[in-house]
Amino acid sequence: GLAVAYRVIQGVATLSGNALSLSGLGAVSVAADQAGDGNYLPAISVANAFTVARGDQTIVFTAIGDQVLGTAPITLKGNSSAGLPVIFQLVSGPATVSSGALTLLGEGTVTVRARQLGSPLYNPAQTDQSFVIRKLTTLAVNVVGNQGGTVAVTPLKNLYAPADTVTLTATATSGFAFVGWSGDLTGSANPATLLMSASRSVTASFKDIQAPVLTWDLPATGTTGVEQVRLSGQIIDNVGVTTAQWSREGGAGLALTVQANGSFAVENLTLTVGTNRFAIVARDAVGNETKLERIVVWVPERVLQVVNASEVQEGQRQVFPVTLSSATANMSGLTFKLSYDPAYLTDPQVEWGALVGQSVNNVNAGIDGEISGSFALAGTVLPAGINAVAKVSFRARSVPAALVVEVTPRIESLSDSKGAVLLTGNASMQGIGRIKTRRILGDNNANQRLDIGDAVVVTRLQVRLEERRSWDIGLNDLNTSGSIDSGDVVKVLRAVVGLDPQPRPLSLGPSLAKALNLSPVGANTNDVLSLELLDGPVAKAGEAYRVAVRVVRAGTSLSGLSFTLKHPTALVLSGKQVGELIPNDALPFWAETADEVKLAAVRSTVWPSKTGVAAVLTFVPAVGISSQAEWGLSLESIEVTGSGFDTRSVDSVSAIVKATTGPILPPSVPAQITLTPPNVAGGKWSFEVRAGNGETVVIESTDALGTPWSQVQQVTGRGVTTPVPVNVELSPSVLTRFWRVR
């Protein structure tokens, strides 16, 4: 508890009482003493040494931040933690520092330093700060797509600070769609934002999506009696029409001239009789398209028509009726021309109709390919409706293949009872006919045989009195010499006098028998063979069933034949044998699969007989078949020959076998035709059909044997003793027609 005394041993320090004052930098030592008293001895001095040094200070430099070039000098601010004054200096960059003011000189990065130089008590201190100087920026906005749209900029300024952000909003005008941004802004976001840290250029693209607007005025859709029409209307587009075309009946497009106001017109279009289909197509620059179609039906007041002719074989005459029709009775005179192709039609002949034949009339058929005709009624008119003007016939010339010929009429003039010319409301319609090829080599007059007329034609072709086309050689080269020569004439004449048989893929007698279905019970026939169902038309499951192939009308001698009989796999072939027709010393070849059996039999000499059974085939229907089952048999790939050089293909033959699971019934009686004299005046032919009660009978006809049969009608049988009358229409232009029941 005794008082302690302090003293400075060393250093720049002084003591005043117990207070130590420092007067400089360096080492200082201080001692503490106690002198003692009556109770205590003096205390040992304790020294305390330390060093006096300057303190550290910090500088707080106020942030400058990025600046825009052109900003006024900036006063720099900074404070020292020691409270000493701070000075500023430029380290780098386009700026100057003077008296604490920062002046911006250009674009770039600037570094400024704040310093305190220190004092006897504080060390120096400094800190640096960097920022960027940028110019004010601009924004350029462009629009692609003509008047496709607009762009709104928010905020809208002439100049932007580099830190500014703008919002761009694209708005498309009617008929356009916004596509996207390009330039300093990409993508299709709308609205979109953009930082203006630099001058920007942005393009907004718009697409034209509106097709041209087409207004079609004339002609009006529907039926008209006016022959010539005007096609007109208007085409308008939000940008502009680049192409405009019109077409007719789906043909090639023809250019439309579109005026400045969008209108267009095509004058004096002539309609055809019946349906006229028009179309208009308009497109703009980007391909937007508008297409309209319109149907106009012209019903003319008067029509000159060549009626279609019936099909004929080359060598026959083909008849084209010519009619003139009108809704009113106002026609008294007509001048016309008929055009035809003389390469296939020749020897034109005109027979006037009953009314026209009483008029003053003239015909000129002396120009190949053209017939001119005219008539004039004396003070009267043709009645309303369809009037027969004439029948024009041609001889069908030889053709390289079946083809269609055309006869095209043209009205030269048409007048009424007062002589006034009827200029409008008139139409012409062409007629067509089909010429088919011959069926017998050398048969030029289409009577299905060789006769003296054919000999004459071949002779004329030989000496070129008759025009000879390339195909005429093959059609008349009977001796296969490669040309038309006297040998071909001899071949025809030998057939005429009977030294050689007539060529017969098809002969009239057997064909007529086929047409009238005069075949044995249970048999189907062609011109040579019959397919006979020996056990009737019904087969029983699991029991043998026989089918015979018979030659019924070979016509010429036989030395070989071949055929293929196709059958369902449900009819299992169990046996096969040749018939009595094939000689014992002939060489038969058989081949069979699951659904067909083939036979070929030949001998070097002529067989003793040319009619008889060629083969008998035995089948067994599969067990378990339905009683409603039917099987089709087809005799195909039939060929017969006599000398070997005259091999002839024969039409296929077919038959239907029905199934039963019970007793087999006797075959039904085949349908029959009973002929009656035709009622020529009435234009009809009557005959009677007799068939089993309830049986369906199909009546078919053809104009030429060897061509497909066409179904005419069906009748239902009333029993073999009760006839069913049938009436069929006759055509005056058809010379021959065959009928059959099936």
Side-chain angles (χ1 to χ4, degrees):
L2 300 179
V4 177
Y6 301 96
R7 59 185 172 88
V8 175
I9 301 173
Q10 180 186 350
V12 287
T14 61
L15 281 169
S16 177
N18 291 335
L20 179 66
S21 298
L22 303 175
S23 60
L25 302 176
V28 176
S29 296
V30 178
D33 299 324
Q34 212 294 317
D37 59 10
N39 297 317
Y40 292 94
L41 292 175
I44 300 174
S45 178
V46 179
N48 189 353
F50 61 90
T51 301
V52 179
R54 285 185 292 184
D56 289 330
Q57 61 178 326
T58 59
I59 297 174
V60 177
F61 192 174
T62 303
I64 301 171
D66 291 346
Q67 298 294 316
V68 176
L69 187 63
T71 302
I74 301 169
T75 300
L76 301 175
K77 296 178 181 181
N79 296 306
S80 167
S81 60
L84 300 175
V86 176
I87 64 174
F88 303 94
Q89 69 182 74
L90 178 70
V91 177
S92 64
T96 61
V97 175
S98 177
S99 301
L102 173 67
T103 302
L104 308 178
L105 301 179
E107 290 186 284
T109 301
V110 175
T111 302
V112 178
R113 179 171 294 161
R115 298 181 62 195
Q116 211 297 310
L117 300 179
S119 68
L121 299 178
Y122 290 95
N123 288 320
Q126 70 179 36
T127 183
D128 291 346
Q129 184 178 160
S130 296
F131 62 92
V132 177
I133 303 174
R134 293 185 177 91
K135 292 180 180 180
L136 290 173
T137 59
T138 59
L139 175 61
V141 178
N142 305 302
V143 173
V144 174
N146 297 312
Q147 67 271 37
T150 59
V151 176
V153 180
T154 306
L156 181 60
K157 299 179 182 179
N158 292 328
L159 297 172
Y160 292 91
D164 287 348
T165 298
V166 297
T167 300
L168 295 93
T169 303
T171 302
T173 56
S174 177
F176 289 83
F178 173 67
V179 176
W181 308 101
S182 58
D184 291 323
L185 180 61
T186 58
S188 58
N190 188 31
T193 58
L194 182 65
L195 178 64
M196 294 301 299
S197 57
S199 293
R200 307 293 191 185
S201 177
V202 175
T203 298
S205 297
F206 296 89
K207 179 183 179 181
D208 179 10
I209 59 172
Q210 179 174 303
V213 178
L214 171 58
T215 304
W216 193 337
D217 299 330
L218 295 173
T221 298
T223 301
T224 180
V226 179
E227 179 180 1
Q228 287 194 330
V229 297
R230 179 175 187 263
L231 188 147
S232 63
Q234 187 178 42
I235 304 174
I236 299 175
D237 188 68
N238 55 348
V239 175
V241 177
T242 55
T243 59
Q245 294 180 319
W246 71 282
S247 61
R248 184 170 184 172
E249 309 305 334
L254 302 174
L256 274 177
T257 301
V258 181
Q259 305 300 323
N261 63 354
S263 64
F264 63 85
V266 180
E267 306 290 345
N268 300 325
L269 291 176
T270 301
L271 300 177
T272 58
V273 177
T275 299
N276 296 260
R277 181 165 57 92
F278 295 95
I280 297 178
V281 179
R283 300 181 184 90
D284 60 19
V286 297
N288 293 317
E289 178 182 288
T290 298
K291 181 177 181 179
L292 294 181
E293 292 191 350
R294 182 161 290 183
I295 301 296
V296 181
V297 179
W298 179 38
V299 180
E301 186 176 350
R302 294 165 289 274
V303 179
L304 177 65
Q305 180 176 5
V306 176
V307 180
N308 295 341
S310 298
E311 181 184 65
V312 298
Q313 181 179 312
E314 55 184 24
Q316 293 178 323
R317 293 199 70 81
Q318 192 164 42
V319 180
F320 294 85
V322 181
T323 63
L324 183 60
S325 61
S326 175
T328 57
N330 64 343
M331 300 177 296
S332 289
L334 171 68
T335 301
F336 63 92
K337 286 187 177 180
L338 303 179
S339 300
Y340 62 92
D341 189 345
Y344 304 112
L345 298 175
T346 188
D347 187 22
Q349 296 180 13
V350 178
E351 178 185 347
W352 291 108
L355 291 176
V356 177
Q358 302 172 14
S359 66
V360 178
N361 54 70
N362 293 281
V363 172
N364 179 10
I367 301 175
D368 280 351
E370 183 177 283
I371 300 173
S372 298
S374 66
F375 69 84
L377 299 173
T380 61
V381 295
L382 293 176
I386 301 175
N387 293 278
V389 172
K391 289 182 180 179
V392 180
S393 66
F394 304 88
R395 177 172 60 83
R397 303 186 68 183
S398 65
V399 293
L403 53 77
V404 173
V405 292
E406 300 173 349
V407 178
T408 305
R410 184 176 74 247
I411 296 175
E412 299 290 308
S413 67
L414 190 61
S415 58
D416 62 14
S417 60
K418 297 180 180 179
V421 178
L422 303 171
L423 296 175
T424 61
N426 306 323
S428 300
M429 297 178 63
Q430 73 174 194
I432 61 172
R434 188 173 184 272
I435 301 175
K436 59 186 178 182
T437 56
R438 66 189 66 185
R439 299 162 58 212
I440 295 178
L441 198 67
D443 179 20
N444 289 279
N445 52 19
N447 60 1
Q448 317 309 327
R449 61 187 176 86
L450 297 180
D451 58 19
I452 195 66
D454 298 314
V456 172
V457 174
V458 175
T459 302
R460 292 177 60 83
L461 288 168
Q462 178 190 1
V463 299
R464 298 184 183 274
L465 288 175
E466 186 81 19
E467 181 186 4
R468 188 168 74 189
R469 282 80 57 84
S470 58
W471 57 85
D472 283 311
I473 297 175
L475 294 176
N476 296 280
D477 184 15
L478 280 77
N479 62 1
T480 65
S481 66
S483 64
I484 298 178
D485 50 40
S486 58
D488 300 314
V489 180
V490 171
K491 281 280 191 181
V492 176
L493 292 176
R494 287 180 63 86
V496 170
V497 299
L499 292 176
D500 289 337
Q502 285 280 350
R504 353 171 357 117
L506 294 171
S507 63
L508 185 59
S511 296
L512 183 59
K514 174 187 175 185
L516 300 181
N517 204 19
L518 303 178
S519 54
V521 173
N524 288 336
T525 67
N526 58 23
D527 293 318
V528 174
L529 299 180
S530 69
L531 188 60
E532 298 181 358
L533 309 179
L534 298 181
D535 294 319
V538 181
K540 186 176 181 181
E543 296 186 5
Y545 182 81
R546 297 171 303 152
V547 176
V549 178
R550 180 188 295 273
V551 178
V552 293
R553 49 177 80 86
T556 59
S557 60
L558 279 179
S559 60
L561 67 80
S562 64
F563 63 80
T564 297
L565 179 64
K566 292 188 176 181
H567 59 89
T569 56
L571 282 181
V572 181
L573 182 67
S574 63
K576 56 186 183 294
Q577 65 184 71
V578 297
E580 77 277 3
L581 172 68
I582 299 177
N584 293 332
D585 58 347
L587 184 61
F589 284 87
W590 291 95
E592 62 179 274
T593 64
D595 60 355
E596 65 181 27
V597 55
K598 298 181 179 181
L599 171 64
V602 296
R603 193 175 76 166
S604 59
T605 57
V606 173
W607 296 354
S609 176
K610 57 184 179 181
T611 61
V613 174
V616 176
L617 306 168
T618 303
F619 299 92
V620 176
V623 177
I625 59 171
S626 167
S627 61
Q628 283 77 40
E630 289 187 352
W631 298 294
L633 300 177
S634 179
L635 197 62
E636 302 178 3
S637 303
I638 308 166
E639 288 186 342
V640 295
T641 185
S643 66
F645 295 102
D646 59 348
T647 302
R648 181 163 73 90
S649 297
V650 181
D651 291 344
S652 300
V653 180
S654 62
I656 298 295
V657 179
K658 295 185 178 182
T660 179
T661 55
I664 299 177
L665 300 176
S668 61
V669 178
Q672 297 179 350
I673 291 179
T674 302
L675 302 179
T676 59
N679 183 3
V680 177
K684 294 181 182 296
W685 181 29
S686 300
F687 54 84
E688 295 176 346
V689 174
R690 300 172 186 265
N693 187 35
E695 291 188 356
T696 299
V697 177
V698 177
I699 301 171
E700 298 176 329
S701 72
T702 181
D703 292 347
L705 294 173
T707 60
W709 292 80
S710 299
Q711 179 174 321
V712 177
Q713 57 181 287
Q714 291 184 354
V715 299
T716 301
R718 302 175 183 172
V720 294
T721 60
T722 305
V724 178
V726 177
N727 295 317
V728 295
E729 298 287 341
L730 295 180
S731 173
S733 61
V734 177
L735 302 180
T736 304
R737 179 162 289 168
F738 302 95
W739 305 84
R740 72 179 182 187
V741 294
R742 186 169 59 82

